Amino acid sequence: MNTLNTLGPHTPRIALIGECMIELQHRADGSLRQSFGGDTLNTAVYLSRELGGAGAVDYVTALGDDSFSDAMCQGWAEENIGLGMVQRLPGRLPGLYCIQTDAAGERRFLYWRNEAAVRDCFTTPAAAPILAALPDYDVLYFSGITLAVLGVKGREKLLETLIEARQRDARIVFDNNYRPRLWASVEEARAAYRSVLPYVDLALLTVDDEQALFHFSDCAAVFGAYEQIGTPEVVLKRGAEACLIRCEGESFEVPAQKVERVVDTTAAGDSFSAAYLAARLKGASPVEAAEAGHRLASRVIQVPGALIPRA
């Protein structure tokens, strides 16, 4: 059974696959603050911070040759994220999204991403050596949003990579992050998820997304489905409620950390996933890892934007 605590004593190499976008935060006074974000990129940044020197984090994506893409790469390098798997496609641009936040800290997203460079991430000639190198990583991390933005051909390449990586004893980590607007239909999304789930070792799931996609009646139904698939470790993220974990036949419930005021819930789940994964890679138990996830997420939701300043 592939679990994260059987990687051995060496420093793990982790590749996160996905999309980073230009982020605009819409403030109450009508002004906009520009930064960058995306689910797997948020996780990559927080994972790099949490691991420190205990792991090497690379980001796998495609960008343009514009100034925004330059700024993204500079920022990632400052976060000690490796850029060797980042393609720069001439004449292309990153996607763009705007966050509007209400008084309770809940978010509304507006997206401009149909022509984003990442859609060709795995289909360009330059992708061949990247795809060939991915199975040699210790951990591959991707999300439901990754599946959506890669498109049909990109998903086929990803699946081939996951199968080969598993054969080389890599660990596969998946965050479900289901966004209906990114899919032509719920049936297409279900088929894409079901194609990759048999190869996942750690599933980091948001309960609401699981229910929206698969219509599970409750958390027990979610765990039952993943037990049938054979996923060794499943974490159910439930916002301000306790997270639930099943790992190698054992069950755990870990309370979330309460905060006085929620400012912005952007990247709460991404940061939880990063801290959980970092802790597991460093030898922590599932309960200790969830506690680390809650700690980081509680800090993130008290600051505007996806990425909080480094401590």
Side-chain angles (χ1 to χ4, degrees), residues 239-244 253-258 272 287 290-291 294-295:
E241 298 183 51
C243 74
L244 306 177
E253 181 173 344
V254 184
Q257 291 199 357
K258 305 298 182 183
F272 177 97
V287 171
E291 290 171 345
H294 285 314
R295 280 196 301 273

Side-chain angles (χ1 to χ4, degrees), residues 15-19 40 59-63 84-87 89 92 116-135 137 140-143 145-162 196:
L16 295 95
I17 306 163
E19 177 184 27
T40 52
Y59 196 56
V60 184
T61 194
L63 298 174
M85 308 289 272
V86 177
Q87 295 180 65
L89 306 183
R92 302 296 292 276
V118 71
R119 291 185 175 273
D120 294 322
C121 182
F122 283 167
T123 59
T124 66
I130 292 173
L131 290 165
L134 282 174
Y137 280 79
L140 299 183
Y141 182 110
F142 67 105
S143 76
I145 294 176
T146 307
L147 291 177
V149 299
L150 287 179
V152 174
K153 292 183 179 179
R155 288 195 293 271
E156 291 172 356
K157 296 290 187 181
L158 175 63
L159 180 58
E160 293 171 3
T161 300
L162 297 180
V196 299

